[in-house]
Amino acid sequence: MQYRFIPELTEEETIDLQLNGLRWTIHHASKGCPQYRKKLKEAGVNPEDIKTLKDLQYLPFTTVDDLREGYPFPLLAVSESEVVRVHTSSGTTGKRKVLAYTKKDINIWKTMLARCFELAGLSTLDRVQIAVGYGLWTAGAGFQLGCEHFGAMALPVGPGNLELQLQILTDLKATCLCSTASMALLLAEQVNQHNLKNKIALKKAIFGAEPHTPKMRQYIEDALGLEDSFDIPGLTELYGPGTGLECQAHTGIHYWADIFIIEIIDPNTLKPVEEGQVGEMVVTTLCKEAVPLIRYRTRDLTRLIPGKCACGLNLPRHDKIFGRSDDMFIFRGVNIYPSQLVNILEQFPELSSEYQIQLTRNQGLDQMTLKVEIKKDTKIPEHLSKAIEQQIKSKILVSCKVEILSHGELPRSFGKSKRIIDHRQT
Ligand code: DLL
């Protein structure tokens, strides 16, 4: 297979690129950014000390606190005159992070996204409906840049506005949808509700920005009549959407190892996990100018997938993002990740993919209510809530109340869904 944007690199070439990129990044960061200079000096690191990629482990971590400290232009390693753009994170976990970009950063980012479209098997004849937020968030600008660079036709509808979305789908016959997972679900429900499946021409969907379940994906694919769909990860700190993409073999996400390095660490010991184990993703950029990242702790939980992919592409893979380490909540002394509850809910075919966790405190005792939805046109089986409660009790060792709602009762989102509502005062 001849690719236009995806590099075909041997392992040696990748290591070479990574080593040179790492040395460049350390040199560039310590020269241009006082915050990094101080950090690296305190850790006793000189660019000349980097002899092999193993030396990465001696570098200090960068965290979200470092990004907050330098607000509004944290970790800036170039002069302001070289900055051509800023974006901010979606702000779901606290104050927005502001990230700056140089012209080169924008060019690298658009190549990353063009690679995504290429990996998803699109051609320049595809029409790409971009149904995400434009503006400070990276999603709209990123998909748009990448789509145009790739050469397909961008249909920049933006988020929300369901009537317009459906009109563009049916009239302009978009063939690929780019959105958050929640927005893809919402559009799928709308297409279903309005009986439009035969009037639209969607073949593919590329969605991400938040985790989705297999059930959610199946519903989206069926309701939109898709040939295929692809999970796309990304974060503002690392350019934005498009840090990698699932290939058509669907066995993990290929990421751009010539642009950044991924390490997986145990968030408690900060040491690398065993090969293939789940931990926190830590990223180091190799050519990012405005805000280089040195061992940036993303808080995202995933694992590296060993071995070669069935698709034949010689690019490393990580698994889907299972969630964030800061999504974990403590309920009656037990640490719980939403993904643990999701795995249980996945076993009940009568339920839709939507859920919401509500935490309250009553006379000093924490209470958890798990709200779930029954699938459309499905009768609620007797004892369903009891069966779910029992599964949670036996698998996670906590008692919670399960409330079954009818289809469509839980709030839908144009962007990222908020699934944990914590009313407890700490
Ligand atoms: O969400 C960028 C993006 C936009 C990615 C559109 C994909 C599509 P932020 O707002 O900075 O950037 O949020 C980044 O979202 O650290 C993950 O926790 C989560 N996330 C992003 N993509 C996925 C995904 C954008 N495919 C944070 N699966 C990241 C699970 C995801 N979580």
Side-chain angles (χ1 to χ4, degrees):
M1 170 95 193
Q2 209 42 37
Y3 288 109
R4 247 187 340 135
F5 297 98
I6 298 171
E8 293 278 32
L9 296 167
T10 63
E11 210 168 309
E12 292 72 41
E13 284 168 331
T14 308
I15 292 174
D16 236 33
L17 269 169
Q18 291 191 335
L19 193 55
N20 287 333
L22 180 58
R23 287 197 188 115
W24 176 84
T25 295
I26 294 168
H27 183 261
H28 172 72
S30 47
K31 188 165 141 246
C33 171
Q35 234 176 310
Y36 267 132
R37 197 177 312 132
K38 184 162 168 268
K39 258 171 124 31
L40 291 165
K41 195 162 170 229
E42 277 167 8
V45 179
N46 291 305
E48 307 77 62
D49 297 340
I50 305 296
K51 302 276 189 278
T52 75
L53 287 173
K54 287 220 167 72
D55 294 329
L56 187 60
Q57 60 181 309
Y58 304 116
L59 302 182
F61 288 106
T62 306
T63 65
V64 66
D65 292 335
D66 295 307
L67 285 178
R68 301 238 155 89
E69 224 175 79
Y71 187 85
F73 295 117
L75 301 177
L76 193 64
V78 295
S79 68
E80 202 185 314
S81 65
E82 290 172 76
V83 174
V84 298
R85 167 105 62 95
V86 296
H87 279 293
T88 73
S89 63
S90 45
T92 36
T93 56
K95 196 165 181 172
R96 284 172 191 274
K97 300 160 206 142
V98 184
L99 274 297
Y101 300 68
T102 65
K103 227 177 235 178
K104 180 176 174 192
D105 295 337
I106 298 280
N107 283 335
I108 297 281
W109 185 26
K110 74 181 185 205
T111 305
M112 287 163 53
L113 274 143
R115 289 179 183 182
C116 293
F117 289 121
E118 187 162 51
L119 200 52
L122 265 60
S123 81
T124 51
L125 287 175
D126 272 289
R127 302 176 181 188
V128 183
Q129 184 149 336
I130 304 172
V132 287
Y134 278 74
L136 279 172
W137 196 31
T138 51
F143 282 126
Q144 177 86 23
L145 270 172
C147 179
E148 289 173 358
H149 188 50
F150 177 74
M153 184 197 291
L155 308 171
V157 186
N161 205 341
L162 293 173
E163 213 174 300
L164 180 64
Q165 301 281 2
L166 296 180
Q167 191 188 339
I168 301 293
L169 280 178
T170 45
D171 294 358
L172 271 68
K173 301 273 184 256
T175 55
C176 176
L177 171 73
C178 291
S179 68
T180 63
S182 294
M183 183 62 181
L185 176 73
L186 187 49
L187 272 179
E189 288 177 339
Q190 290 289 312
V191 166
N192 186 33
Q193 197 179 321
H194 294 90
N195 261 324
L196 293 174
K197 190 168 164 180
N198 295 327
K199 298 209 169 76
I200 63 172
L202 275 180
K203 291 199 199 85
K204 290 176 180 167
I206 298 177
F207 50 83
E210 56 184 347
H212 64 266
T213 62
K215 208 186 260 177
M216 188 169 177
R217 180 127 167 206
Q218 192 63 54
Y219 181 86
I220 295 168
E221 288 188 353
D222 292 346
L224 295 175
L226 301 178
E227 280 168 12
D228 214 345
S229 68
F230 304 89
D231 186 4
I232 185 165
L235 58 160
T236 314
E237 300 89 309
L238 191 55
Y239 302 92
T243 51
L245 195 86
E246 256 182 51
C247 66
Q248 294 169 39
H250 299 290
T251 49
I253 290 163
H254 287 283
Y255 66 90
W256 320 126
D258 56 329
I259 295 176
F260 55 91
I261 299 175
I262 291 186
E263 297 169 86
I264 306 289
I265 62 158
D266 177 327
N268 299 314
T269 63
L270 304 185
K271 296 273 176 264
V273 296
E274 293 284 320
E275 199 193 6
Q277 294 303 301
V278 174
E280 181 180 334
M281 182 167 85
V282 170
V283 292
T284 300
T285 55
L286 302 171
C287 50
K288 197 161 179 276
E289 291 183 334
V291 185
L293 298 179
I294 298 176
R295 301 195 87 200
Y296 177 69
R297 293 187 56 188
T298 64
R299 306 274 169 187
D300 284 335
L301 301 170
T302 187
R303 64 185 193 104
L304 290 178
I305 301 179
K308 215 170 151 34
C309 181
C311 78
L313 198 61
N314 201 12
L315 272 172
R317 285 168 299 160
H318 66 75
D319 213 329
K320 65 180 180 180
I321 310 286
F322 297 110
R324 296 176 58 82
S325 57
D326 39 21
D327 275 349
M328 189 204 76
F329 60 93
I330 302 178
F331 175 70
R332 298 189 189 171
V334 181
N335 295 356
I336 303 177
Y337 284 101
S339 56
Q340 291 174 276
L341 291 165
V342 167
N343 288 344
I344 293 174
L345 296 180
E346 278 287 302
Q347 296 161 17
F348 291 88
E350 308 85 356
L351 298 177
S352 84
S353 57
E354 293 307 277
Y355 68 95
Q356 193 180 76
I357 302 160
Q358 288 207 347
L359 298 163
T360 50
R361 187 165 289 160
N362 192 357
Q363 296 179 339
L365 189 63
D366 284 359
Q367 313 284 345
M368 172 162 54
T369 306
L370 179 60
K371 296 190 175 189
V372 294
E373 265 183 13
I374 201 81
K375 268 189 189 154
K376 204 169 173 213
D377 304 325
T378 308
K379 221 173 133 251
I380 303 182
E382 236 183 294
H383 311 305
L384 180 59
S385 51
K386 277 277 153 307
I388 303 170
E389 285 166 11
Q390 269 162 12
Q391 279 290 311
I392 293 173
K393 178 91 193 165
S394 79
K395 299 236 165 76
I396 314 183
L397 309 178
V398 294
S399 300
C400 83
K401 187 166 170 277
V402 172
E403 248 180 56
I404 313 229
L405 309 177
S406 42
H407 185 81
E409 260 195 85
L410 282 170
R412 299 295 194 258
S413 166
F414 296 146
K416 304 194 193 210
S417 288
K418 187 167 167 56
R419 300 192 187 272
I420 306 178
I421 316 278
D422 195 343
H423 294 293
R424 300 171 298 179
Q425 280 129 15
T426 40

